[in-house]
Each structure stands twice: as structure tokens, then as C-alpha cells.
Amino acid sequence: MKPIHLVACLLMTAACDNPKNASSPNEAPGKKSDSTIVTTPVTDTTRFVFLSNLRNGDTLVKGKTYIDTLSFINYNENGDDGLFVCARNRDTAFLIFNTNNPPELNNGDQVLVQWNMDVYEPAGDPENPLPREFVVDYRLLHPGKVTLLKSRKPALAAIYRHKDLSDTGKQEIDAAVWYYVANTTDTTIRRMIDTDPQLLQYTVEEETEDSRLSGIFPITFTDGTQQVLKRVFFDVERPYSLFE
């Protein structure tokens, strides 16, 4: 039990033992409060085994700083905590990273990340802590294809026909579109991006009505004359890329 909890309990115990202090002005003289002291259970965090997808098979040390070269995927701040989403080989990790300045990175950037394992107390369930990875620091090592493409400022415009899509949803789709355009081998899209100065547009349609495909948005690429070049799909369950 933490010292502050002990002091609080001692004060509450003293109050319960003293009828004068425990009684309110509206209570009859000599009537004791019927309150009960409830102590907050303390979780023994020493029982945790610290494991991470970033170090498969290894038992890690709480608080020790580890350094790895990782592939950045996304920074997600939709929940109670910011998540630095990254991958090592085929393993994806979601590191806790609460910051006032979200990382200026794009999907595919190679970053050197300093991180550690610590005990995480969920905002909605602080009495059930669990071991999690935390970002200590990071720096860009090599820009990925998306970052290199954006540095050239290509003409890429979005049209949203889904009126109820949130700003966060649009940001996720935009990021997936940029990643697709930067990495696709489709010759038509490649020509539009790499050599043709025409405007490349993409239109995000309404969510697919088929209940089996709930959460999937069709995306149509067109040129400046509205000629259809390609049709792909965004899946909310796989938010970081598009599929054909």
C-alpha cells in the first residue's frame, strides 16, 4: 500500500472511533456514523512477465531501454492513449506514446526507436494494470516511399461522397491511399504519378451495402477527365492499406 493510502486510512479510522467527529449537525447526539472503511486492492506487478512482439521469445526487463530499427505504420490517437504503430518483420506492435506533437512520419518510414516495458494502467480500468511497451524516443533513419512521394508534391485530390465519414476516418483513408499510390505496380497509376502532370483523383464512395462486407469503402481513381483508372477498397478492419 502507498504511504498516502496509509495516512488516509489512519485518518478515517480515527474519525470512526470519535463519535463527535463522525456525527453531522443533523444527527442525534451520540449517534455514530455507519460508514465502513474500504481499502483499494494493490496489484502485485512483480508477477508480470514482460513480453513483446518486438522481441519474440525474450523475457524483457521492466524499465530497461531497448533500441530497434522499426518500420513506422501510423500514429493513432483515437483512444485514451496515443499509439505508435510500427512493425518489425511481420510482427506489429502498438507502443504507448502520449505526446503533444504527433510524429511527422509516414507509413513505411524506417525509424530508430528507443522503448521500454512498463506497467500500464488503462484509463477505463486502472485496477487491472498490464505490461505494455512505451516509446522513450525515436528518430527518422530512412524516409519511405510515401515520404519521398509527398516531397515531390504530386497532384492527388480526394472527393468524399460518404457524408457521414468523420475527419479521423478520412485521415485513415487518405493515408492508405498515399501508401497505395506510392507502392503500387499498376502501370496506369505509376504513369500518372511518376510522369504525367495530370490530376489524379480518388473518390470515396458510400460504405458497401452488403452486410457481409460491412465497413468496406470502394475507392475509384480517375484522371482529370474523370476516366476511371482503377477501383480499390478500404477495409476498416485493415486500415493501413487498400486491397483490389
Side-chain angles (χ1 to χ4, degrees):
M1 179 177 290
K2 296 181 180 179
I4 190 169
H5 290 169
L6 180 58
V7 172
C9 288
L10 290 175
L11 290 174
M12 292 177 69
T13 302
C16 290
D17 289 339
N18 189 333
K20 182 177 180 180
N21 292 337
S23 301
S24 68
N26 297 326
E27 289 178 336
K31 182 178 180 182
K32 282 193 174 183
S33 172
D34 195 25
S35 61
T36 304
I37 299 175
V38 179
T39 59
T40 302
V42 178
T43 303
D44 181 11
T45 58
T46 60
R47 63 182 172 81
F48 288 136
V49 177
F50 293 91
L51 303 173
S52 171
N53 284 346
L54 299 178
R55 296 292 175 93
N56 280 340
D58 294 340
T59 300
L60 307 180
V61 178
K62 176 180 179 295
K64 178 181 177 179
T65 299
Y66 298 90
I67 302 177
D68 284 293
T69 298
L70 307 172
S71 178
F72 179 81
I73 298 177
N74 184 38
Y75 178 69
N76 188 319
E77 51 184 343
N78 298 331
D80 294 326
D81 297 276
L83 297 178
F84 192 97
V85 187
C86 54
R88 184 179 186 183
N89 299 323
R90 293 175 178 265
D91 295 318
T92 303
F94 299 82
L95 285 69
I96 304 290
F97 187 40
N98 293 317
T99 174
N100 294 326
N101 300 304
E104 296 182 359
L105 299 169
N106 293 294
N107 193 350
D109 287 344
Q110 296 298 305
V111 290
L112 188 70
V113 179
Q114 298 180 41
W115 60 280
N116 64 27
M117 297 292 303
D118 210 329
V119 177
Y120 168 65
E121 295 183 354
D125 192 15
E127 294 183 359
N128 291 292
L130 66 158
R132 286 290 301 273
E133 304 98 325
F134 289 78
V135 173
V136 176
D137 198 5
Y138 75 93
R139 66 181 176 89
L140 176 66
L141 287 180
H142 303 290
K145 292 182 179 180
V146 175
T147 298
L148 294 175
L149 178 61
K150 286 186 174 182
S151 68
R152 292 165 38 205
K153 296 181 172 58
L156 184 60
I159 301 173
Y160 280 93
R161 290 183 177 170
H162 192 291
K163 298 179 181 179
D164 297 329
L165 198 59
S166 66
D167 290 340
T168 299
K170 291 178 180 179
Q171 291 172 4
E172 290 186 356
I173 292 177
D174 289 342
V177 168
W178 275 97
Y179 186 79
Y180 174 84
V181 169
N183 291 274
T184 185
T185 57
D186 183 271
T187 54
T188 304
I189 302 297
R190 285 258 62 86
R191 176 177 57 80
M192 291 288 294
I193 287 295
D194 296 336
T195 62
D196 199 319
Q198 295 183 71
L199 177 66
L200 178 61
Q201 298 177 332
Y202 59 98
T203 302
V204 181
E205 307 289 348
E206 293 282 351
E207 182 180 4
T208 303
E209 294 181 359
D210 189 339
S211 60
R212 296 172 302 173
L213 302 176
S214 178
I216 294 179
F217 297 84
I219 297 175
T220 304
F221 286 99
T222 59
D223 62 11
T225 65
Q226 294 301 305
Q227 177 184 357
V228 175
L229 305 175
K230 191 79 174 180
R231 197 163 190 255
V232 293
F233 300 90
F234 176 85
D235 184 354
V236 296
E237 298 296 331
R238 297 180 292 169
Y240 308 122
S241 62
L242 305 179
F243 68 94
E244 300 180 3

